[in-house]
Amino acid sequence: MRISRRAVAAAAVLATVLPLSACGGGSGDSSSDASGKVEGKITFQTWNLQANFKDYFNGVIADFEKKYPGTDVKWVDRPAEGYADKISADAAGGTLPDVVNVSPDLVAPLAKAGLALDLDKAAAKYRKEYLPGAWQSHQIPGMEGTYAFPWYLNTGPLFYNKSLFKDAGLDPEKPPTTYDELFDEGLSLATKSKGKVATLANVPTIEDFGRYGGQLMNKEGTGFAFNDAKGVELLTRYKELYDAKALDPQALTATPESSGHKFLTGSVAMNPGSALDLENFKKQAPSLYKNIGITDQISSTGKANMYVMGVMVNAQTKQKPAAVAFAHYVTDATRQMDFAKQVAIFPSTAGSLDDPYFTEEDGTDVTRVRIAAAKSLKTAVNYTPVLFSDQMKTELRNQVAKALQGKQSPKEALDNAVKACDRLLQQS
């Protein structure tokens, strides 16, 4: 299983393929009443998990069926490639499984189509078991309700090069934590190195606008709003970094791999990453590894960004009590903790991140990163709007590039980006 920051960006596919009139589950009950005896046969669909976690899920299913005699859970697993298309086809054809592994961008069009069960009505008693930010991640702008149980979370710390900070006269033990600190220290780094060392290697994304404290969408969920005063301010400061070479000149076309290489070679002072990167530094750049600092993501809101997977219940299922019970069971604290110890993910259940597994150092690199990430997840939120598609990301990136290059003002760039994204939103 490859768990990435956004495992598959598929909202655009679903939005264009899935008609809002689609229905699933045949003659199932679309009400939110999940009371009644937990019994019957249900189908549980996951997303590229069977190859590595067959024993784990078979064990979860066996334990559930033992707890609820009379239930029968059929597990199906779909490959990552084409997952959104498969869900779209099932939704349109009335064959959507009873319980489905989704990400927020996948659940949005299903909720709009009336195919995702509103858990605020059907399973409100379970809400307190999950981190508030995780529960809210499957809420859809402009709609009331929550449309999937939060499942596993992911995030990443920010690595920084202590040696470069020290050379610039900055405190290597006190890295920037807010964007204002980042911009000020970034300019200092560029000035001290005469433009040879950049602080960052990436242009701002929608997550940055969220972490900066700007408004991303209007309250109705009908349009984007990242061209507000905070958004313009953020892009203006990035333009200052770019002009001073505190933002790497190649940031406009950077990839995660190229940014990582810049950090590895000491031409960039800060870069997001994971435990795998830390092991890579140890092997390929021992001098960098000795000077690695680990800190939280930059945020002016005090909250990091999280990436979240969820488990949705088909609103048309014929076995609603069993489907809700199983979706909760596979995402409860016990099951999530067991899963987190098998793969580098984090539970979304309240209190789980206080487990010694996420708090106690053992001297290994993997644990260092796990503890740093777990700490930030307690209050993290999913800043990327569930309606923000890959096409919209491209529009924002293109307009940001024009602003950084001086081809238009930050205000003009964001106004144009919002117009383009709103147009795409209306087409979906």
Side-chain angles (χ1 to χ4, degrees):
M1 176 181 63
R2 179 177 179 268
I3 299 177
S4 61
R5 290 184 176 180
R6 285 176 67 82
V8 175
V13 176
L14 275 170
T16 55
V17 177
L18 176 61
L20 293 183
S21 59
C23 63
S27 60
D29 178 12
S30 62
S31 73
S32 296
D33 184 11
S35 61
K37 186 177 181 180
V38 176
E39 61 182 357
K41 184 175 182 177
I42 60 173
T43 300
F44 169 49
Q45 178 173 292
T46 53
W47 185 350
N48 196 30
L49 295 173
Q50 192 170 47
N52 294 319
F53 305 104
K54 184 177 181 179
D55 291 343
Y56 169 78
F57 284 102
N58 282 336
V60 169
I61 291 169
D63 290 344
F64 177 80
E65 292 174 344
K66 182 178 180 181
K67 180 177 181 179
Y68 296 101
T71 59
D72 182 1
V73 180
K74 177 184 177 182
W75 176 32
V76 296
D77 187 68
R78 303 297 181 191
E81 185 177 357
Y83 190 73
D85 296 308
K86 177 60 179 174
I87 289 181
S88 298
D90 286 342
T95 57
L96 192 69
D98 303 280
V99 181
V100 186
N101 176 192
V102 292
S103 56
D105 52 348
L106 289 179
V107 83
L110 294 170
K112 287 186 175 183
L115 294 175
L117 186 66
D118 180 2
L119 300 181
D120 283 340
K121 294 180 179 178
K125 64 182 179 181
Y126 298 128
R127 180 172 184 164
K128 65 180 182 298
E129 296 180 18
Y130 301 88
L131 295 170
W135 185 267
Q136 294 164 9
S137 66
H138 290 92
Q139 296 175 350
I140 316 301
M143 295 182 66
E144 295 291 331
T146 301
Y147 294 93
F149 283 102
W151 196 8
Y152 56 83
L153 309 177
N154 218 330
T155 191
L158 191 64
F159 293 128
Y160 67 99
N161 189 322
K162 291 183 177 182
S163 180
L164 295 179
F165 271 67
K166 186 176 181 180
D167 291 345
L170 301 172
D171 188 341
E173 302 305 323
K174 294 182 179 180
T177 58
T178 67
Y179 279 94
D180 286 340
E181 293 174 353
L182 175 68
F183 296 137
D184 291 344
E185 295 187 18
L187 292 174
S188 295
L189 273 163
T191 299
K192 187 71 174 181
S193 68
K194 297 182 179 180
K196 293 182 180 180
V197 176
T199 302
L200 299 174
N202 296 287
V203 299
T205 64
I206 193 67
E207 296 159 13
D208 288 292
F209 287 93
R211 289 198 301 257
Y212 193 67
Q215 183 178 353
L216 302 182
M217 294 195 77
N218 61 31
K219 293 181 179 179
E220 295 75 29
T222 56
F224 293 94
F226 52 82
N227 60 337
D228 65 357
K230 294 290 288 185
V232 173
E233 183 178 279
L234 176 67
L235 188 50
T236 299
R237 296 301 302 274
Y238 262 92
K239 177 69 166 68
E240 294 175 4
L241 291 184
Y242 187 75
D243 290 343
K245 295 186 178 180
L247 178 62
D248 187 77
Q250 297 178 5
L252 304 184
T253 58
T255 64
E257 290 77 19
S258 66
S259 298
H261 181 72
K262 293 274 186 177
F263 183 70
L264 191 70
T265 58
S267 58
V268 171
M270 306 189 80
N271 200 58
S274 68
L276 295 177
D277 294 307
L278 203 57
E279 290 291 340
N280 188 42
F281 301 152
K282 188 175 183 178
K283 294 177 182 178
Q284 297 189 26
S287 60
L288 170 64
Y289 178 75
K290 293 178 182 178
N291 288 287
I292 282 291
I294 303 175
T295 188
D296 294 338
Q297 298 173 17
I298 301 295
S299 175
S300 294
T301 66
K303 297 180 179 180
N305 184 64
M306 73 165 64
Y307 304 90
V308 58
M309 275 290 177
V311 176
M312 184 199 87
V313 174
N314 182 354
Q316 299 290 336
T317 178
K318 297 176 183 178
Q319 305 291 350
K320 197 169 275 90
V324 170
F326 183 75
H328 169 252
Y329 189 82
V330 79
T331 63
D332 70 12
T334 299
R335 259 51 60 176
Q336 288 210 48
M337 196 67 205
D338 289 344
F339 195 33
K341 290 182 178 180
Q342 296 196 31
V343 63
I345 50 89
F346 301 86
S348 64
T349 40
S352 295
L353 296 175
D354 292 323
D355 187 273
Y357 183 70
F358 297 110
T359 59
E360 294 183 1
E361 293 277 6
D362 62 7
T364 65
D365 295 334
V366 171
T367 300
R368 287 177 64 196
V369 176
R370 182 171 66 236
I371 289 174
K375 182 179 179 181
S376 69
L377 277 170
K378 290 182 179 182
T379 58
V381 297
N382 180 20
Y383 285 108
T384 302
V386 298
L387 303 177
F388 201 71
S389 69
D390 263 11
Q391 287 176 288
M392 295 173 188
K393 291 179 186 178
T394 299
E395 290 289 349
L396 175 58
R397 186 180 182 90
N398 289 343
Q399 296 300 329
V400 164
K402 291 179 181 179
L404 296 178
Q405 292 171 321
K407 295 180 179 179
Q408 58 188 10
S409 71
K411 174 63 175 172
E412 290 171 333
L414 293 181
D415 284 347
N416 289 335
V418 164
K419 288 178 183 178
C421 292
D422 283 348
R423 184 173 62 252
L424 290 168
L425 184 64
Q426 294 305 314
Q427 293 173 359
S428 66

